C-alpha cells in the first residue's frame, strides 16, 4: 500500500477515488463540468458563491485566496476535484461559510499540508506548535463543510529527530460548525474539535464522517457530536508493543455540561487486536479545572480496542476514573465488559440526557 502522502499526490484532480496509476493531472483532461450541479463562474448560482479549481476554471485556484475573497457572512465555496496543498485559515469574520466538494465524493477533493508541532517556522521564530500545525483552522461561527477531505500528511518516518509529532488536519473552534460526509486524515491529533475560549461552549456536528489516526486523534474541548462516523486506528511501525494510541482525548471545560458524544458510529483498526485505548482525558496546563467528558453509545467497537482496559490516564493527578466517561449499548469485541469497573455504563434513564438534541440545543444541523 502507498503511504498517505503518495496516495494523496495520486489524487491530483482525479474525479474518482484513490488511484494507483499516473497522476490524473498528467492524463487527458477530466471533468468538463468541474463544479457539477453547483454552477460555474459563467452561470453562478448567486453572488455569494465562489468557485475554486486548481486547473484555473474557477474564480480561484487555491482555497485560501477564495476564503480571503469571501468577505462578510454567508459565502459558499465550491471546490472542483483536486488536491489543494497549503494551510487555510477561516477567520472569525467569515461567518456562515460553506465549503463543498463538487463531486460529492470526499476522496476527490483534498485540502492538505504537512506541518507538525515541531516543524521550524521559516522566519526562525520557533516551531509551529500543535495549533500552528493545522492544515485548516476554522475560527468562524456557522462553518459547514460537505464532501471534503482535510489531511495532514506529515510523517514521523520522514522526521525521526522530531519529538513534537502532533500534526493537525483541522482545528475547529467556531460555534455551529457542521461536517457532512467529510474525511479527516492524519496520525497524531488529526481532528482538533475545540472552542475559541474556555467560556465558549462551541457546538460541532459530524455526520457520516471518516477520521483516522493514532495518538489522541480526536481531541479538544468542544461540545461535539459524532453521528454515524467511522474512526480508524492505524498501525505504527515505530512501536513494538501496545498501546499504539488513543482515539479520543477530550478536554471539556469543567463548567461545560456536555463534551463529546459518539453515537451510531464504529471504530475499526489496521493494528493488532487490543492495541488501542478508546480514550484518555486531556487536562491541559492552561486549564487545570477541565473535566473531560465522553459518551460513546449505540456504536460498534472493533477488536482493535482494548476491552479490558479501554481508558487510560494522560497526566498524573487526573485519573480517567475522575472524569465524565461513559458508555451505553455498544457492541463488538472492543465493547465487551470484562472488568465492570473499567467500563462505566449509563442506565436507560441516564442515556436520555445524551442525545443529539440535548447536546446541540436550538441548533439543528441534522434536521
Amino acid at each position: 500500500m502507498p503511504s498517505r502522502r503518495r496516495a494523496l499526490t495520486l489524487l491530483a484532480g482525479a474525479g474518482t477515488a484513490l488511484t494507483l496509476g499516473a497522476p490524473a493531472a498528467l492524463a487527458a483532461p477530466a471533468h468538463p463540468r468541474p463544479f457539477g450541479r453547483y454552477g460555474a463562474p459563467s452561470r453562478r448560482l448567486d453572488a455569494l458563491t465562489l468557485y475554486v479549481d486548481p486547473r484555473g476554471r474557477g474564480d480561484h485556484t487555491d482555497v485560501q485566496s477564495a476564503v480571503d475573497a469571501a468577505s462578510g457572512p454567508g459565502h459558499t465555496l465550491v471546490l472542483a476535484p483536486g488536491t489543494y496543498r497549503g494551510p487555510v485559515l477561516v477567520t472569525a469574520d467569515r461567518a456562515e461559510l460553506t465549503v463543498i466538494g463538487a463531486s460529492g465524493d470526499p476522496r476527490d477533493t483534498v485540502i492538505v499540508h504537512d506541518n507538525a508541532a515541531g516543524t521550524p517556522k521559516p522566519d526562525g521564530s520557533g516551531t509551529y506548535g500543535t495549533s500552528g500545525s493545522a492544515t485548516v483552522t476554522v475560527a468562524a461561527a456557522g462553518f459547514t463543510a460537505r464532501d471534503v477531505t482535510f489531511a495532514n500528511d506529515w510523517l514521523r518516518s520522514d522526521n525521526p529527530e522530531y519529538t513534537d509529532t502532533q500534526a493537525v488536519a483541522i482545528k475547529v473552534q467556531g460555534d455551529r460548525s457542521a461536517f457532512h460526509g467529510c474525511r479527516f486524515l492524519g496520525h497524531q491529533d488529526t481532528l482538533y474539535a475545540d472552542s475559541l475560549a474556555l467560556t465558549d461552549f462551541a457546538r460541532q456536528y459530524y455526520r457520516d464522517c471518516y477520521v483516522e489516526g493514532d495518538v489522541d486523534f480526536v481531541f479538544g474541548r468542544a461540545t461535539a457530536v459524532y453521528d454515524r462516523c467511522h474512526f480508524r486506528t492505524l498501525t505504527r511501525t515505530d512501536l513494538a508493543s501496545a498501546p499504539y494510541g488513543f482515539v479520543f482525548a477530550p478536554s471539556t471545560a469543567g463548567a461545560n455540561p456536555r463534551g463529546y458524544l459518539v453515537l451510531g458510529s464504529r471504530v475499526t483498526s489496521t493494528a493488532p487486536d487490543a492495541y488501542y485505548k478508546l480514550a484518555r482525558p486531556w487536562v491541559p496546563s492552561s486549564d487545570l479545572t477541565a473535566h473531560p467528558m465522553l459518551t460513546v453509545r449505540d456504536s460498534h467497537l472493533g477488536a482493535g480496542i482494548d476491552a479490558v482496559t479501554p481508558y487510560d490516564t494522560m497526566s498524573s493527578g487526573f485519573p480517567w476514573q475522575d472524569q465524565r466517561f461513559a458508555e451505553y449499548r455498544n457492541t463488538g469485541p472492543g465493547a465487551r465488559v470484562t472488568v465492570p469497573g473499567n467500563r462505566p455504563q449509563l442506565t436507560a434513564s441516564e442515556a436520555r440526557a445524551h442525545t443529539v438534541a440535548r447536546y446541540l440545543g436550538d441548533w439543528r444541523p441534522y434536521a
Side-chain angles (χ1 to χ4, degrees):
M1 293 295 291
S3 69
R4 177 183 293 108
R5 181 170 296 161
R6 175 64 177 153
L8 288 171
T9 61
L10 291 171
L11 283 165
T16 58
L18 292 179
T19 58
L20 299 180
L26 302 180
H31 294 288
R33 296 181 59 197
F35 306 108
R37 61 189 178 91
Y38 297 103
S42 61
R43 47 189 177 88
R44 199 177 303 275
L45 296 186
D46 56 59
L48 296 180
T49 299
L50 300 176
Y51 298 91
V52 188
D53 176 29
R55 298 179 181 223
R57 294 167 293 180
D59 301 304
H60 302 273
T61 57
D62 67 279
V63 178
Q64 186 63 63
S65 65
V67 171
D68 293 343
S71 58
H75 280 77
T76 297
L77 308 184
V78 180
L79 275 55
T83 299
Y84 300 86
R85 181 166 288 277
V88 175
L89 172 62
V90 181
T91 53
D93 57 347
R94 266 61 178 171
E96 313 301 330
L97 180 70
T98 297
V99 177
I100 299 172
S103 76
D105 186 335
R107 294 171 295 181
D108 294 342
T109 305
V110 180
I111 305 174
V112 59
H113 201 54
D114 59 354
N115 282 332
T119 302
K121 295 181 180 179
D123 62 5
S125 62
T127 58
Y128 281 102
T130 299
S131 291
S133 74
T135 295
V136 176
T137 302
V138 179
F143 180 85
T144 299
R146 296 181 182 276
D147 304 321
V148 176
T149 292
F150 301 90
N152 190 318
D153 63 355
W154 183 89
L155 298 173
R156 293 188 191 95
S157 58
D158 291 348
N159 302 274
E161 75 280 10
Y162 280 42
T163 55
D164 296 328
T165 58
Q166 301 89 342
V168 178
I170 188 169
K171 180 177 183 178
V172 188
Q173 298 175 286
D175 185 36
R176 296 180 293 103
S177 298
F179 297 81
H180 300 268
C182 291
R183 298 165 78 230
F184 306 90
L185 309 182
H187 286 276
Q188 183 172 353
D189 291 7
T190 304
L191 172 55
Y192 195 170
D194 205 49
S195 69
L196 288 169
L198 286 177
T199 54
D200 244 0
F201 301 159
R203 294 165 296 175
Q204 300 173 16
Y205 181 68
Y206 301 82
R207 174 72 174 255
D208 297 318
C209 291
Y210 172 87
V211 194
E212 69 176 33
D214 48 41
V215 179
D216 305 330
F217 64 94
V218 183
F219 73 113
R221 65 174 174 241
T223 293
V225 175
Y226 305 93
D227 188 1
R228 301 193 324 201
C229 291
H230 179 188
F231 303 92
R232 183 85 160 163
T233 62
L234 302 176
T235 297
R236 295 184 63 174
T237 58
D238 58 319
L239 295 179
S241 61
Y244 277 176
F246 315 84
V247 181
F248 302 99
S251 58
T252 322
N256 190 350
R258 297 177 181 90
Y260 285 2
L261 172 64
V262 180
L263 72 162
S265 296
R266 60 190 172 119
V267 179
T268 64
S269 184
T270 64
D273 290 356
Y275 265 51
Y276 272 87
K277 306 292 186 182
L278 185 60
R280 63 177 179 173
W282 177 32
V283 179
S285 58
S286 59
D287 179 25
L288 297 179
T289 66
H291 195 191
M293 181 178 183
L294 168 70
T295 299
V296 181
R297 59 171 300 173
D298 301 295
S299 295
H300 184 88
L301 308 182
I305 296 299
D306 179 357
V308 178
T309 55
Y311 304 105
D312 205 350
T313 294
M314 183 182 298
S315 303
S316 61
F318 303 98
W320 75 262
Q321 293 90 342
D322 292 347
Q323 313 311 321
R324 294 176 286 178
F325 285 3
E327 302 177 47
Y328 181 66
R329 291 196 317 196
N330 295 318
T331 60
R336 287 196 302 265
V337 181
T338 57
V339 182
N342 290 343
R343 312 278 325 223
Q345 303 289 314
L346 297 174
T347 66
S349 175
E350 291 169 337
R352 286 194 284 272
H354 298 270
T355 64
V356 180
R358 292 292 291 271
Y359 273 58
L360 301 184
D362 60 358
W363 177 48
R364 297 177 61 86
Y366 50 89

